[in-house]
């Protein structure tokens, strides 16, 4: 009753505006005859004022707020960016410069074929125009060429990166690391016929050659086992038709092409050849033990230099092949080195974000 007495005494001293507080206080003393105050403390605890619940803050993007005993989920990790496309692929498959070079080479081929057709008439004879394929006894220092007689003339073209751009394969290859995988290439030959395109200039040149009555022959290191898929790829790009063993010659053994060139020359007078590798013109360019410097010198020796644009037509390919190799010492002559006197750090001349300038 101590609490009740205090409340009543206090009520007598309260103003009229405070009497309303007394009744709840009295009623709070007992409910059902039971003391509601804590046994350890006779004084009642101040009643809690109900607070308006705060709206939960929305979780930050990428984060999940823990609820109860559920642990917060880890922040998602963004996938790594895809590998950059190698600069050689950027150049060959994406640049206007490479497309212009290919078109330029094929335009030169068309002019050459028109000239030879006007000069020789319907047939090519050995006293008017000879073959541009080297004989089995030839060397690059002393080249000799086959005879034609009255054989029908032909132009022989490589396929990959000469007639066709292997866009599907190289797009996939650009996102891989590690060495070249021959098994992947075999799968590409078998299934990639719809993911190719004609090399810029190739379709117009091949069409013109056929109009001139010149047989178009393809000589490729693609596998004979995938001959039908290769025919389909050529058709897809508009470069066909091609018949295996006549106008299509594929690899069935070593990768060298001289034996196939000889077989083609038995039926046709080859008045022009087109390729993206020196091996598309003669296996002698890839003789074992030959250094890069020797190979380069042979390609521009007086005996060979006169063939470029005059029967032999080369297209750019910095992506793969015998031409896409070499260490610093192999590529750059020792007497043609330069040390930048203004370099501030080894190998560092420009900030990393500075784009290269035109030269």
């Amino acid at each position: 009753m101590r609490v009740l007495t205090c409340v009543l005494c206090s009520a007598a001293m309260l103003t009229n505006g405070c009497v309303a507080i007394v009744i709840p206080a009295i009623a709070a003393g007992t409910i059902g005859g039971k003391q509601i105050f804590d046994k350890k403390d006779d004084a009642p605890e101040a009643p809690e004022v109900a607070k308006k619940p705060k709206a939960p803050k929305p979780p930050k993007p990428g984060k999940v707020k823990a609820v109860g005993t559920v642990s917060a989920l880890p922040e998602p990790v963004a996938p790594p960016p895809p590998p950059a496309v190698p600069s050689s692929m950027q150049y060959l498959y994406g640049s206007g410069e490479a497309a212009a070079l290919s078109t330029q080479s094929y335009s030169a081929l068309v002019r050459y074929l028109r000239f030879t057709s006007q000069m020789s008439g319907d047939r090519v004879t050995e006293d008017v125009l000879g073959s541009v394929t080297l004989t089995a006894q030839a060397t690059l220092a002393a080249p000799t060429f086959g005879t034609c007689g009255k054989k029908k003339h032909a132009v022989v073209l490589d396929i990959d990166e000469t007639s066709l751009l292997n866009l599907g394969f190289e797009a996939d290859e650009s996102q891989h690391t590690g060495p070249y995988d021959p098994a992947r290439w075999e799968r590409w030959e078998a299934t990639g016929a719809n993911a190719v395109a004609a090399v810029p200039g190739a379709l117009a040149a091949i069409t013109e050659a056929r109009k001139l009555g010149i047989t178009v022959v393809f000589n490729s290191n693609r596998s004979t086992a995938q001959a039908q898929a290769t025919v389909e790829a050529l058709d897809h790009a508009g470069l066909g038709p091609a018949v295996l063993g006549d106008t299509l010659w594929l690899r069935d053994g070593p990768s060298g092409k001289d034996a196939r060139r000889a077989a083609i020359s038995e039926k046709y007078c080859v008045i022009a050849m087109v390729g993206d590798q020196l091996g598309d013109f003669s296996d002698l360019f890839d003789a074992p033990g030959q250094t890069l410097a020797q190979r380069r010198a042979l390609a521009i020796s007086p005996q060979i230099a006169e063939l470029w644009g005059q029967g032999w037509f080369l297209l750019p390919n910095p992506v793969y092949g015998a031409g896409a190799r070499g260490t610093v010492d192999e590529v750059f002559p020792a007497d043609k080195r330069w040390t930048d006197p203004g370099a501030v750090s080894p190998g560092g001349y420009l900030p990393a974000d500075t784009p290269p300038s035109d030269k």
Side-chain angles (χ1 to χ4, degrees), residues 1 5 8 12 44-45 52 91 96 112 115 124 157 177 199 251 256 261 264 278 298 300 304 325-326 338-339 341:
M1 295 300 295
T5 303
L8 292 174
E45 296 180 1
K52 185 178 180 180
Y91 183 84
Y112 180 78
F115 171 76
V124 177
L157 303 95
T177 58
V199 169
R251 177 179 54 83
R261 275 186 284 266
I264 294 168
L278 294 180
L298 286 170
I300 56 175
I304 299 300
R325 60 188 173 93
W338 175 71
T339 300

Side-chain angles (χ1 to χ4, degrees), residues 65 74 351 358:
K65 188 176 181 179
D358 293 334

Side-chain angles (χ1 to χ4, degrees), residues 40-66:
K40 294 181 181 179
D41 190 355
D42 290 336
E45 296 180 1
E48 293 185 1
V49 179
K51 297 181 180 180
K52 185 178 180 180
K54 294 182 178 180
K57 294 181 179 180
K60 294 181 178 180
K63 295 183 178 180
V64 178
K65 188 176 181 179

Side-chain angles (χ1 to χ4, degrees), residues 97 349-359:
E97 287 82 355
Y349 302 103
L350 295 172
D353 58 351
T354 301
S357 61
D358 293 334
K359 295 180 180 179

Side-chain angles (χ1 to χ4, degrees), residues 255-273:
S255 60
K257 294 184 175 182
D258 278 351
R260 278 173 268 155
R261 275 186 284 266
I264 294 168
S265 295
E266 289 180 2
K267 182 175 183 179
Y268 296 102
C269 175
V270 180
I271 61 172
M273 294 190 291

Side-chain angles (χ1 to χ4, degrees), residues 182 185-186 189 219-226 244 249-260 283:
W185 175 258
E186 291 176 4
E189 282 189 20
N219 184 8
S220 171
N221 276 335
R222 287 182 171 226
S223 173
T224 302
Q226 302 300 336
L244 184 64
W249 294 77
L250 302 173
R251 177 179 54 83
D252 190 13
S255 60
K257 294 184 175 182
D258 278 351
R260 278 173 268 155
D283 292 346

Side-chain angles (χ1 to χ4, degrees), residues 139-213:
T139 66
L140 294 177
T144 55
F145 302 91
T147 58
C148 285
K150 294 185 178 181
K151 298 174 186 175
K152 182 175 177 58
H153 52 296
V155 55
V156 177
L157 303 95
D158 173 52
I159 292 179
D160 299 306
E161 276 57 61
T162 295
S163 305
L164 292 179
L165 291 178
N166 293 288
L167 298 176
F169 177 83
E170 297 300 342
D172 185 67
E173 182 76 358
S174 72
Q175 304 302 292
H176 282 73
T177 58
Y180 166 73
D181 182 1
R184 286 182 63 245
W185 175 258
E186 291 176 4
R187 294 193 294 272
W188 159 252
E189 282 189 20
T191 63
N194 294 330
V196 299
V199 169
L203 179 56
I206 289 173
T207 300
E208 181 64 16
R210 288 173 174 150
K211 286 182 179 179
L212 293 171

